[in-house]
Amino acid sequence: MRQTVAAGNWKMNKTPSETRALIAELAPLVKDAKNKVIVCPTAVCLPAAVEAAKGTNILVGAQNLYFEDKGAFTGEISADMLLDLGVSYVIIGHSERRQYFAETDETVNKKVLKALEKGLNPIICVGESLEQREQGITADLVRMQVKIALQGVSAEQAKTVIIAYEPIWAIGTGKTATTEQAEEVCKTIRDCICELYCADVAEAVIIQYGGSVNAGNSAELFSQANIDGGLVGGASLKAADFAVIANS
C-alpha cells in the first residue's frame, strides 16, 4: 500500500526563526498522522528546520539542488550539502523554477539522477499551463515531462520517487482542478510509469496533486485511487491548515 504524503512547499517564505516557530506549532498537531509529513523551507532555513523537526515525525525537504557535486556554480546547492544537513527530500522541476529560472526537462532529469545517486528522494513536478490544457495536450505534455525526468532511472530507483502533478493554472491562483481532472491526470502519470517500467513500479510510485490544495479539499482529493497526497503551497504556511491536510 502506498503511503499518503503531505509535503509543504514554503517557497520564499519564513525566516529561520519563523521556521522554528512554525514547526514547533505544527509538530503536536501532526504527531499522530498516519500520512508522511514533509516541510520544504527555503535553503537558508533548512538548518533551523532540521533542528526543529528532531524528535518529531516531520521530515525536511529542500526546494532545489544542482546536478554537480561541487565547483564554480555561484548560488547553487549540492546534494551532499543537503545530506550533510539531514535533508531527505528535494523538490525538482517546480513550475516556478521552470518559469522564472530557466529550468528545463533536461535539467530536471540531471537533477533527478543526481538526487537518486546520492540517496535523496526527489519530488518531481509536472504540469500544464492553462493554454496547454485548452489546447487539449495535457496528457501528451505530462507524459513527455515524466518520460524525460525518468530517463536513466532504474526500476528500483523509480519506486522511490514522488511525482507531483501541478497544473500551472492552479498554483497560487486559488483555482483548483476538479477532483475528476486531478485524478484523470494522476492516472495518466501512473499509466505512463507502467509503460516505462511495469505494473509493480507504477503501483509503488507516489503521485501527489499540487495546485491550491487546502484544508477544505484535501480529503476528497486524497481519497482518489491515484492521488497519494499533495504538494501544498500557501496552506502549508499555516500550522492549523496544514495539520488538517496532513491528517486527511
Side-chain angles (χ1 to χ4, degrees), residues 26-34 37 56-58 247:
L26 177 65
L29 302 178
V30 299
K31 63 182 177 65
D32 297 320
K34 295 182 176 64
V37 183
T56 76
N57 60 329
I58 298 172
N247 286 294

Side-chain angles (χ1 to χ4, degrees), residues 164-179:
Y165 166 54
E166 294 203 314
I168 298 168
W169 49 272
I171 299 173
T173 63
K175 297 180 180 179
T176 309
T178 65
T179 302

Side-chain angles (χ1 to χ4, degrees), residues 5 23 26 46 53 68 74 104 108 141 156 162 174 206 209 211 240 246:
V5 177
I23 291 177
L26 177 65
L46 288 172
E68 297 288 354
T74 301
T104 66
V108 167
L141 177 79
E156 286 306 307
I162 296 174
I206 292 168
Y209 171 72

Side-chain angles (χ1 to χ4, degrees), residues 194-211:
C194 185
E195 293 169 17
L196 288 173
Y197 299 100
C198 64
D200 286 346
V201 174
E203 284 302 312
V205 173
I206 292 168
I207 301 175
Q208 297 177 310
Y209 171 72

Side-chain angles (χ1 to χ4, degrees), residues 126-155:
V126 299
E128 83 284 9
S129 67
L130 181 59
E131 181 182 12
Q132 290 163 335
R133 172 164 280 275
E134 291 174 343
Q135 290 170 339
I137 61 172
T138 294
D140 294 332
L141 177 79
V142 169
R143 284 171 57 86
M144 180 186 72
Q145 290 176 323
V146 170
K147 287 181 176 182
I148 296 175
L150 295 178
Q151 280 186 343
V153 175
S154 71

